Amino acid sequence: MEKQEIRTFGRVRGKKLSARQQWLVDNLLPELAPTGPDPDPNIILEIGFGAGEHLLHLAAAHPDKLIIGAEPFINGVASLLSQMTQSTEHRAQSIDNDNLLNLIKPEYRNIRIWPDDVRKLFTLSLSRSSTLQNPGLRFAQIWILHPDPWPKTRHEKRRLLSAEFLELLAGRLAPKGLPPEASAKGGQIIIGTDHYEYYDWILEQVKKTRLTTSDQRLATIDTRYQRKNKAGTAEPKYLILGKA
């Protein structure tokens, strides 16, 4: 059977990158790729990190965890690279691969970047897995903040958080009680949106999956997309999902 192509509906490139941003994309970004499957549950994933403000917060707040950001929009990736590195100018010919990583600020050295559709990352990790005991990446948390709501009816199929996608994420959550966090309740998916109709639609999608909603509450998470609040709502709504 022919493999179905993964389609990413959001834009992947905006205005021209600055010289420094382009240098970072060309030289540093390849050094920050997630490398192969890792069954360690101490990994946090953010899908669609935008300009990277929340991803940077996660990295600084969780120095003991690996933080993976997936974002196909190269301008967002370039913005993240600029923020997580020293501000001095660097030239490719004067820095070898070992010293490249020294450009990263110490509090952000646990960040890895996947500059593409996250579903391709999952496919990659599965293809490299050789046994059922090593089934690829598992996450303590998966964050998805302010995904495009695609509000027009004809575009509903473009919405990221369909039941099919949520079920895919459910299979990537760290199981309950897995060391080194023996008291953990298992991995969680945290979703935030200021588009209330989309929020209700997501709730209906969750009902078609093995996921359950948590009664935990989150304070508003500040990002530039939250500040834009294109839906004009009073505040964002959040969902915390886990496996029963």
Side-chain angles (χ1 to χ4, degrees), residues 65-81:
K65 296 185 185 293
L66 183 67
I67 311 298
I68 299 178
E71 174 59 71
F73 185 48
I74 196 63
N75 295 68
V77 171
S79 177
L80 172 63
L81 290 170

Side-chain angles (χ1 to χ4, degrees), residues 21 42 48 145 175 197 205 230 240 244:
Q21 287 178 327
N42 263 344
L145 298 177
E197 187 275 329
Q205 299 300 304
K230 292 183 178 180
I240 301 178

Side-chain angles (χ1 to χ4, degrees), residues 3-108:
K3 185 177 180 181
Q4 187 175 3
E5 181 182 357
I6 293 176
R7 294 190 63 190
T8 302
F9 289 103
R11 60 179 181 158
V12 296
R13 185 172 290 275
K15 64 181 182 180
K16 184 178 179 180
L17 303 181
S18 69
R20 179 172 183 267
Q21 287 178 327
Q22 189 63 60
W23 187 90
L24 290 169
V25 167
D26 292 341
N27 295 277
L28 181 58
L29 179 60
E31 302 299 315
L32 298 178
T35 54
D38 190 339
D40 184 351
N42 263 344
I43 305 174
I44 296 175
L45 170 68
E46 183 168 1
I47 298 173
F49 58 73
E53 304 100 327
H54 184 249
L55 193 76
L56 294 170
H57 166 76
L58 287 173
H62 301 281
D64 59 325
K65 296 185 185 293
L66 183 67
I67 311 298
I68 299 178
E71 174 59 71
F73 185 48
I74 196 63
N75 295 68
V77 171
S79 177
L80 172 63
L81 290 170
S82 292
Q83 294 177 80
M84 63 186 283
T85 54
Q86 309 294 340
S87 59
T88 53
E89 293 296 328
H90 301 281
R91 296 184 180 277
Q93 60 265 31
S94 64
I95 295 181
D96 59 29
N97 287 349
D98 290 336
N99 289 327
L100 270 174
L101 298 180
N102 291 331
L103 301 180
I104 302 171
K105 297 173 184 177
E107 63 269 33
Y108 302 138

Side-chain angles (χ1 to χ4, degrees), residues 27-235:
N27 295 277
L28 181 58
L29 179 60
E31 302 299 315
L32 298 178
T35 54
D38 190 339
D40 184 351
N42 263 344
I43 305 174
I44 296 175
L45 170 68
E46 183 168 1
I47 298 173
F49 58 73
E53 304 100 327
H54 184 249
L55 193 76
L56 294 170
H57 166 76
L58 287 173
H62 301 281
D64 59 325
K65 296 185 185 293
L66 183 67
I67 311 298
I68 299 178
E71 174 59 71
F73 185 48
I74 196 63
N75 295 68
V77 171
S79 177
L80 172 63
L81 290 170
S82 292
Q83 294 177 80
M84 63 186 283
T85 54
Q86 309 294 340
S87 59
T88 53
E89 293 296 328
H90 301 281
R91 296 184 180 277
Q93 60 265 31
S94 64
I95 295 181
D96 59 29
N97 287 349
D98 290 336
N99 289 327
L100 270 174
L101 298 180
N102 291 331
L103 301 180
I104 302 171
K105 297 173 184 177
E107 63 269 33
Y108 302 138
R109 289 179 183 172
N110 54 338
I111 291 177
R112 299 294 179 269
I113 302 173
W114 180 256
D116 206 334
D117 191 301
V118 72
R119 292 169 293 180
K120 296 179 183 178
L121 173 62
F122 295 160
T123 301
L124 175 69
S125 63
L126 279 173
S127 68
R128 292 182 180 179
S129 300
S130 58
T131 70
L132 293 176
Q133 287 71 40
N134 188 17
L137 296 165
R138 292 289 184 270
F139 303 100
Q141 294 178 339
I142 299 175
W143 291 81
I144 309 170
L145 298 177
H146 302 289
D148 194 324
W150 294 105
K152 295 182 180 179
T153 302
R154 70 177 185 272
H155 292 156
E156 185 176 292
K157 65 182 180 181
R158 298 184 178 186
R159 288 178 167 176
L160 177 66
L161 298 174
S162 65
E164 179 183 12
F165 184 70
L166 290 171
E167 188 63 31
L168 176 65
L169 297 185
R172 291 291 172 168
L173 293 177
K176 296 181 180 180
L178 188 67
E181 299 179 351
S183 61
K185 296 181 179 179
Q188 294 179 323
I189 302 168
I190 303 101
I191 298 167
T193 179
D194 55 20
H195 195 280
Y196 291 176
E197 187 275 329
Y198 189 23
Y199 177 89
D200 292 339
W201 184 86
I202 296 167
L203 281 175
E204 291 302 311
Q205 299 300 304
V206 171
K207 293 176 182 178
K208 304 173 188 176
T209 72
R210 68 183 120 165
L211 293 165
T212 59
T213 57
S214 168
D215 59 2
Q216 295 175 257
R217 296 291 182 266
L218 290 176
T220 297
I221 299 167
D222 183 47
T223 69
R224 70 178 62 188
Y225 291 96
Q226 163 54 25
R227 293 192 293 272
K228 287 180 179 179
N229 189 11
K230 292 183 178 180
T233 48
E235 60 182 6

